[in-house]
Amino acid sequence: MKKIIILIFALFLVGCSKEEMFTCNIEIDNNVQNYTMKGIYTIYYKDNFVTKIEKKEQYISPDEEVINYLNESKSLEYYNLNDLYGGYTYTINYNETSVAITSKIDLSLVDLKKMEQDKKIDKDYVINNRLTKSGIVRVYESKGAICDI
């Protein structure tokens, strides 16, 4: 009887794993295009698969033309990502010196198979149409981010 109770308790613990999170931070000085970008990416995962990502990015430049370009290109980028793959919600705010983007990606709504086909994400980062924790770390670290994992 003790073995059965221990087995049930162990199965309960395994089946009830909770969502965890970590962050990745990036800061890029793009001297050629005259802007600085700072980003914080909060990645939520359960059982080593990403469930959602919250992104906060800020682009800063003294050049208003650069800011206008970044605002237009980022607005189009996020619109297209959501239109093509789903799962994205975002807001973009800008003024004459900065563009601030806040977005959330619900991975349960994202078409990862289409992203793989379109080569927007490496097939090695996805298992059974679920983005792996190690895969997203490689994505952000390849862009220069430092992850606290």
Side-chain angles (χ1 to χ4, degrees), residues 42-140:
T42 305
I43 294 94
Y44 296 85
Y45 66 96
K46 185 174 179 179
D47 300 326
N48 289 315
F49 292 101
V50 178
T51 57
K52 67 183 171 187
I53 302 169
E54 295 176 350
K55 300 168 64 172
K56 292 183 180 181
E57 297 174 326
Q58 183 174 28
Y59 297 82
I60 302 167
S61 176
D63 187 336
E64 196 170 345
E65 285 184 33
V66 170
I67 293 300
N68 288 334
Y69 169 77
L70 288 168
N71 178 52
E72 290 174 16
S73 66
K74 291 300 174 180
S75 294
L76 184 59
E77 175 185 345
Y78 277 88
Y79 173 82
N80 285 336
L81 286 168
N82 189 55
D83 187 50
L84 290 170
Y85 309 112
Y88 286 76
T89 57
Y90 61 93
T91 58
I92 299 175
N93 296 304
Y94 79 102
N95 58 40
E96 61 274 353
T97 61
S98 70
V99 176
I101 304 165
T102 303
S103 66
K104 293 180 183 179
I105 308 165
D106 181 344
L107 273 293
S108 70
L109 302 174
V110 175
D111 188 345
L112 290 171
K113 286 187 189 275
K114 185 163 178 34
M115 285 185 103
E116 280 182 55
Q117 292 169 350
D118 294 347
K119 306 223 183 297
K120 292 291 183 184
I121 193 158
D122 191 301
K123 66 180 179 169
D124 294 332
Y125 301 168
V126 178
I127 297 174
N128 295 328
N129 205 35
R130 296 169 66 192
L131 180 60
T132 65
K133 181 174 77 170
S134 61
I136 197 65
V137 167
R138 287 186 280 189
V139 166
Y140 286 125

Side-chain angles (χ1 to χ4, degrees), residues 1-14:
M1 185 67 173
K2 279 186 178 181
K3 289 181 182 179
I4 292 173
I5 292 172
I6 291 171
L7 179 63
I8 291 171
F9 183 72
L11 289 172
F12 177 77
L13 286 177
V14 171

Side-chain angles (χ1 to χ4, degrees), residues 17-54:
S17 63
K18 63 179 185 167
E19 188 173 67
E20 299 180 69
M21 51 86 64
F22 64 93
T23 59
C24 297
N25 294 282
I26 190 168
E27 186 167 335
I28 297 172
D29 288 319
N30 188 326
N31 295 324
V32 173
Q33 295 181 333
N34 195 23
Y35 71 85
T36 299
M37 190 280 271
K38 296 177 184 180
I40 300 171
Y41 309 103
T42 305
I43 294 94
Y44 296 85
Y45 66 96
K46 185 174 179 179
D47 300 326
N48 289 315
F49 292 101
V50 178
T51 57
K52 67 183 171 187
I53 302 169
E54 295 176 350

